[in-house]
Amino acid sequence: MAGHWFYITPEEYEQAASIGVDNQTLDRRIRELGWNKERAITTPIRPLNKDRAHWRQVAEKNGVSFRAFHSRISRGWSDEEAATRPLQTPEEAKKLALRATEKVRKIPRKYMELAEQNGIQRATLHARIKKGWCLEDAATKPLMDRTEIGRRGAAALRAREGDWAALIFGTR
């Protein structure tokens, strides 16, 4: 962005002040928030409803704390809804969290459970899937013991290099 966009002339400050935008707000809009000058100068400050004493009392009667009430207001709730909607019970919060977890889960629950039944740890399941295994194989193929790992490694070496031991030790 060009430097001239950040310079605010005295006339621009006066123009913004005429609709109630103070100098600090104009500076913040242009320099920190990245608004273009025209928008920053012509957009009036949103009026805040500071007289919420009635709704604050309603909220307290309904068991909604002051902090929760203001948090709801800042998230865009109406005064009435913020004051009258009951707080979530721990069970409801847990239920919603579980539903959200299921929506973002990368590995379906059935494969997680299948892996657990087959004695495969979650980290192993994740590593197998990351290496490109299909979900079914990653959750069902048993782990190899050290002997099996050694046999497969030796077989792979022989397939790749031939019988290298015969070259070193001679043919029997």
Side-chain angles (χ1 to χ4, degrees), residues 55-56 59-60 62-79 81-88:
W55 289 114
R56 185 175 173 186
E60 289 174 5
N62 289 325
V64 177
S65 70
F66 176 74
R67 188 178 207 169
F69 175 71
H70 275 280
S71 174
R72 290 173 170 188
I73 296 292
S74 68
R75 286 185 274 142
W77 291 31
S78 69
D79 291 351
E81 186 179 15
T84 58
R85 186 186 244 180
L87 297 174
Q88 288 180 341

Side-chain angles (χ1 to χ4, degrees), residues 39-160:
R39 178 180 173 210
I41 293 168
T42 60
T43 304
I45 293 177
R46 186 173 42 142
L48 296 177
N49 182 0
K50 294 188 178 187
D51 185 32
R52 291 197 167 109
H54 166 71
W55 289 114
R56 185 175 173 186
Q57 290 173 352
V58 171
E60 289 174 5
K61 286 179 187 173
N62 289 325
V64 177
S65 70
F66 176 74
R67 188 178 207 169
F69 175 71
H70 275 280
S71 174
R72 290 173 170 188
I73 296 292
S74 68
R75 286 185 274 142
W77 291 31
S78 69
D79 291 351
E80 181 179 3
E81 186 179 15
T84 58
R85 186 186 244 180
L87 297 174
Q88 288 180 341
T89 64
E91 293 80 24
E92 290 172 331
K94 185 177 179 181
K95 186 177 170 184
L96 288 172
L98 287 174
R99 189 177 337 146
T101 300
E102 288 303 318
K103 285 187 178 186
V104 298
R105 184 182 295 280
K106 291 188 167 103
I107 301 172
R109 179 178 289 286
K110 76 175 196 175
Y111 291 107
M112 299 289 280
E113 291 170 356
L114 185 60
E116 189 176 320
Q117 290 169 2
N118 290 320
I120 297 169
Q121 294 182 1
R122 284 185 179 199
T124 303
L125 179 67
H126 284 278
R128 287 176 169 186
I129 291 169
K130 192 173 182 179
K131 288 179 186 174
W133 289 37
C134 72
L135 293 171
E136 188 73 30
D137 288 345
T140 57
K141 291 239 176 169
L143 297 173
M144 291 187 284
D145 62 357
R146 290 288 172 201
T147 306
E148 180 65 21
I149 293 170
R151 280 192 201 119
R152 287 191 181 193
L157 180 64
R158 273 189 237 98
R160 189 177 67 237

Side-chain angles (χ1 to χ4, degrees), residues 19-56:
I19 63 163
V21 178
D22 61 81
N23 294 354
Q24 185 179 7
T25 301
L26 185 61
D27 284 343
R28 188 174 67 253
R29 285 178 173 181
I30 293 173
R31 296 190 174 120
E32 295 175 19
L33 301 175
W35 289 23
N36 65 40
K37 278 187 176 183
E38 183 179 344
R39 178 180 173 210
I41 293 168
T42 60
T43 304
I45 293 177
R46 186 173 42 142
L48 296 177
N49 182 0
K50 294 188 178 187
D51 185 32
R52 291 197 167 109
H54 166 71
W55 289 114
R56 185 175 173 186

